[in-house]
Amino acid sequence: MKNLYFLKNKLQTTTFIILAMIPVFVDSYYVNNISFFMLWTFIALSLSLIWGKGGILSFGQAAFFGLAGYSFGIIGINFADVFGVGVWSVILALIITGIFGLIVGYFLFYGGIYDVFVGIVTLSITLVFETFMSQTAGPEWTVGIARLNGFNGMQGMPSIGINLFGHNFEALDNKGYYVILALAVLAIYLLDKLANSKFGLVLSASKEDRLRVQSLGYNVKKVHMLTFAISSVLAGMSGILYTNWGGFITPESMGLVSAALPVVYCAASGKNNFFAVFLGTILLVWISQELAINGRQFALIFMGLLLVIATRYFPDGMFLFFIDLLKKITQKVIGN
Amino acid sequence: MSESILNINKIKKTFGGFTAVKDVDLKVNRGEIRFIIGPNGAGKSTLFKLIIGHLKPDYGDVIFKSEYLNKLDLHQRIKKGIGLKFQAPSIFNEMTVLENLEVAANETNLEKYDDFIKRFGFFEEKNSLAGDLSHGKKQWLDIALASISNPDLVLLDEPTAGLSFEETKKTGEIIKYLNKQGTTFLIVEHDMEILKQIATTVSVLHLGAMFVEGTPESVLKNKDVAKIYLGVS
Amino acid sequence: MVLLFNIIFQVTDAISFLLLSAIGLAVIFGMMKIINLAHGEFITVGAYGTVVTAKMGLPLPIAMACGVLVTVIFGFILERLIIRYIYGRPLDSVVATWGISLIVSQAFLIIFGPSTEGLKSPLGSFQVGDYSFSEYRILLIFVSFLILVLLYLLFMKSSFGTLARATIEKPVTSSALGVDVQKVYTITFCIGAGLAGLTGALYIPTMTAVPSLGQAFIVSAFVSVVTAGASPFVGLVPAAAFLGSFQTGITFFYHATIGLIGLLFAVIMIIRFLPSGFSGLIKRGR
């Protein structure tokens, strides 16, 4: 038990160091791409928290992704000339998303909605968002001076960054590589801490037997609502970084496929392990991009196959399986 | 000290046309080990669920330490100082014994509970998965979960279900020990051996109503009680 | 008067669409509790099966039967390879069937291309005032109710139906009584698949054959089955009636997109406030 943790920690630290050094050695074209792959890890982590640790499958992460992205854009466009907008638009967008996450969480868990119905309700919410935003094409659809722009999406928002002491720090170098990496490391660190805390223990127990946890004096609905809110903020982080990376956000980010992607990343990587999900997501987004070059169909078929194989043969996630395998092989080699 | 810790007043519960519990009064005093017995269908489980808040009564009150519990949810009632164990062992199989206890005690450092754990007999298995324990040890873990936070009143629903003769006796000893530390017990049971071993007072339910109450000796000698068990009402 | 006829037609057409979308899923999700996100793809298989065989020269009803047959075989293969390993794991069935749905829909795209020439609607149309109505769609309204009655008889009144329901509810007990539980599951799943294929076969003369045609049905299907509640064959008609009227009403006053949003909103409210669906309401009323 202890050995696995130590190994995991060494693996984690090594990976982060390698990732930090990549921009030094690698061409900026590739670095920009890796930034893109990394920004998706937050929404995958968000699902890992609520599904892997909490046992609740939500298809609503895409809704928070979109909500945060659009909020970031709307605030940024409307206050483009205000000092520090590139920072506090992010914070404000996350707060808005978190509040919405709390509200949805309250509606779900205090309303007694659990199991597969959470999936149906959250998917419905996501689709309502997408459907609604898709028909906001006309010029009357604006928030302040920001046009929602319907199906084509919103663009023209200022990027993440801040103008300090006359110097422009923008998360545009390498498309914000270090900002994203730093945030990811922070997120994984905080999530690990949460999972090992009293809260995390109660959450794990609730996954197994909600009634028993209630009979030990805990307000399980509150625990789930808070977890849901935290995961909504994480999903929103991906949305903001995505909007920043490409300079736009569209309703498609809240469509059926978008709602399913974090599920793919989590299920295939190993939803119970935050680091596995982090690495797995980067790999999977990369692979699907490579496949999409030959046609989006192939990328989606690959995703589908992953889902089926992962569920059928590797319920704990394929990534973890391979890490374990690697560990066993290296132990055998070192042992000799 | 015979101050009342739990007071059930005229509690009634019907399901459709069927009255499961009718006008039951129950008064449990501090320090008691109270047994609730009765033949199948007597309403014991329903009464249990009404006390903990799993079911809402048609009318009647549940009063704990002079406070009305009627409007409180399950977890809120527990926080007032109640420990509880359901009939089937509901421990967290995917977590270790220690983690199970950490959740119940709401603490991550359990050093001061070492004695407690030793008394229950799974000190060796501290770090094993709870799911790997034998059935008897699972029941004891479940009782431990109910009692580790030192509640005033512990409710047990058939704690000896599926236990062997020796295990049942050991369970009685554990309950007696905790009772000496100040915990009041309300136990729904079928097993007469453990009743004889530890009960201070016995309440007999029959067809949803309180039939008779008294010391274990008087109840066990009562011919009418024997009759209701044999189906001659 | 003409307006009234139009409204009645719109509502019953919407209701029958919901019913037919839901029948296959009512068996697989409603009865077997397997969340089948590949339901749309079953419909697509039935539709394409019909188109392909009709193009080979077979008369339409036979082509439709072939479409259903292909879907049953498809369902059988899926059950053997994947589904039987995820019984009792509802969240995993979501994930696995979503994967199947992705694979099949994209495979159709690759094999058949973005659109295939469809079939002509077999019957004509008739005029009432300014509006013209498809005779075929009116036929479908009757067919949908007929199928539902047959399903009700099959699962609620026949001996197979009783056996299936008992096995699904208590597989261990049934097994102890000598029932081949796996066989019952497989047959029931194939019936569900076949019904979905039938939906595709019936509707394809009114649609273009695109690989994503199943998507048009899946939201309606889930919404109807969830609203129907625990006893799908009891609750499905009132559920479809309620949702169909609600959706048509909203579409009438606004437009189709808002109608869809209204539908999704309705299902959210029903899950929250009427968790046992319409069949729960009916049972309570008894």
Side-chain angles (χ1 to χ4, degrees), chain A residues 116 131 256 260 297 307 311-312, chain C residues 85 89 95 98 106 109 257:
Chain A
V116 69
T131 315
L256 271 178
Q297 309 93 284
L307 278 180
T311 318
R312 168 76 177 86
Chain C
Y85 299 101
R89 288 156 57 187
V95 177
W98 185 281
Q106 299 308 305
L109 189 58
T257 338

Side-chain angles (χ1 to χ4, degrees), chain B residues 169-184:
Chain B
K169 216 162 163 234
K170 169 99 191 260
T171 309
E173 281 159 20
I174 295 174
I175 295 174
K176 245 188 166 158
Y177 165 72
L178 292 170
N179 179 248
K180 278 212 184 64
Q181 311 290 311
T183 311
T184 311

Side-chain angles (χ1 to χ4, degrees), chain C residues 240-260:
Chain C
F242 169 74
L243 291 169
S245 317
F246 187 70
Q247 186 184 19
T248 310
I250 299 210
T251 308
F252 219 69
F253 288 109
Y254 302 97
H255 52 82
T257 338
I258 309 289
L260 177 63

Side-chain angles (χ1 to χ4, degrees), chain A residues 198 201 208 212 218-219, chain B residues 75 84 90 93-94 103 142:
Chain A
K198 268 198 269 177
L201 212 58
E208 250 199 270
R212 190 57 175 127
Y218 295 100
N219 188 348
Chain B
H75 76 273
L84 140 67
S90 355
N93 290 304
E94 311 279 316
V103 174
D142 213 355

Side-chain angles (χ1 to χ4, degrees), chain A residues 215-228:
Chain A
S215 74
L216 291 171
Y218 295 100
N219 188 348
V220 172
K221 297 176 195 171
K222 191 168 168 195
V223 170
H224 283 146
M225 178 184 76
L226 289 173
T227 310
F228 194 79

